[in-house]
Amino acid sequence: SSELTQDPAVSVALGQTVRITCQGDSLRSYYASWYQQKPGQAPVLVIYGKNNRPSGIPDRFSGSSSGNTASLTITGAQAEDEADYYCNSRDSSGNLNWVFGGGTKLTVL
Amino acid sequence: EVQLVESGGGLVQPGGSLRLSCAASGFTFSSYWMHWVRQAPGKGLVWVSRINSDGSSTSYADSVKGRFTISRDNAKNTLYLQMNSLRAEDTAVYYCARSPDYGDYAFVNWFDPWGQGTLVTVSS
């Protein structure tokens, strides 16, 4: 079982706002990073740290965190945002390894 | 252009070995930590292993500890993953990814970029 918990699937109407969440004890101490993966492609970093976007990532993507929950928000979802989204952070066992959430499949209706 | 290119995947029998490589270009390879992440067919991402910038420190997921060895050659800008005693459950696409050299206790970290992945199939 994953130490970071994500909802398996979320849907959003085109142009609306959607929040994808990630829960885990390690998120109280470590920031999450978020990755978008489209079918047959490698993951792409979309958010890291408190709320940082790599160059080339649209500003409709944003991140936040509170307690043991990290969130990825897409404001004004586009058809091309339909993808799997994974959070990542350190695990909570004390060995300082990394762990991914189980992933959330986002459907844009 | 920052780029990571994996190679070395293929079909191997259970109990066999395989060595993956990840060739880096477009950045100072020796200044970054490197990771292997895998994804079984139709499944999610799983972190496998990491190595620090000078190769002096490594860590592994429990599922591969004692069977896999991560290493790097900074002179050749190449990351490796030696996989021994392979099992059917090791079947996956293996990605290499870069992370900043912030040390073990950094509260912020990320993987960027990722390679395109190489498929490892363990089957008789």
Side-chain angles (χ1 to χ4, degrees):
Chain A
S1 63
S2 174
E3 296 179 37
L4 294 178
T5 302
Q6 297 182 241
D7 291 329
V10 172
S11 62
V12 61
L14 184 66
Q16 295 304 301
T17 297
V18 62
R19 176 175 292 181
I20 298 170
T21 61
C22 173
Q23 289 188 302
D25 287 342
S26 65
L27 298 177
R28 298 184 184 278
S29 304
Y30 300 98
Y31 283 111
S33 54
W34 290 92
Y35 303 87
Q36 177 193 70
Q37 187 180 34
K38 296 180 179 180
Q41 297 183 19
V44 173
L45 175 70
V46 294
I47 290 289
Y48 65 97
K50 190 173 183 180
N51 181 19
N52 300 291
R53 282 176 291 105
S55 173
I57 300 301
D59 62 5
R60 62 179 178 271
F61 289 87
S62 63
S64 62
S65 184
S66 178
N68 73 335
T69 302
S71 300
L72 172 70
T73 300
I74 307 174
T75 303
Q78 301 301 301
E80 60 264 32
D81 299 335
E82 185 163 292
D84 293 327
Y85 290 86
Y86 295 90
C87 61
N88 173 269
S89 189
R90 311 302 289 272
D91 76 24
S92 56
S93 68
N95 62 16
L96 299 179
N97 284 342
W98 281 260
V99 63
F100 286 92
T104 297
K105 180 173 181 55
L106 176 66
T107 300
V108 180
L109 304 172
Chain B
E1 178 192 6
V2 175
Q3 194 171 16
L4 298 172
V5 178
E6 301 93 338
S7 61
L11 176 64
V12 61
Q13 293 187 339
S17 298
L18 210 56
R19 189 176 85 154
L20 306 183
S21 299
C22 169
S25 60
F27 65 99
T28 305
F29 181 68
S30 60
S31 296
Y32 290 86
W33 285 25
M34 297 296 298
H35 302 254
W36 288 99
V37 177
R38 70 184 181 183
Q39 186 171 36
K43 302 297 184 181
L45 301 173
V46 176
W47 177 84
V48 172
S49 181
R50 70 87 176 152
I51 188 167
N52 69 346
S53 54
D54 67 5
S56 63
S57 174
T58 60
S59 63
Y60 301 90
D62 288 345
S63 58
V64 307
K65 196 176 298 181
R67 300 188 299 123
F68 289 12
T69 302
I70 190 172
S71 62
R72 65 192 296 162
D73 186 334
N74 285 346
K76 295 183 177 179
N77 291 340
T78 303
L79 172 72
Y80 302 101
L81 186 68
Q82 177 67 43
M83 303 185 295
N84 298 331
S85 303
L86 283 162
R87 307 165 179 168
E89 54 265 36
D90 296 318
T91 294
V93 173
Y94 284 74
Y95 297 99
C96 61
R98 182 187 76 170
S99 75
D101 183 359
Y102 288 166
D104 257 331
Y105 300 97
F107 56 86
V108 59
N109 215 316
W110 61 89
F111 303 137
D112 180 61
W114 297 58
Q116 86 289 349
T118 186
L119 176 62
V120 172
T121 303
V122 184
S123 175
S124 54

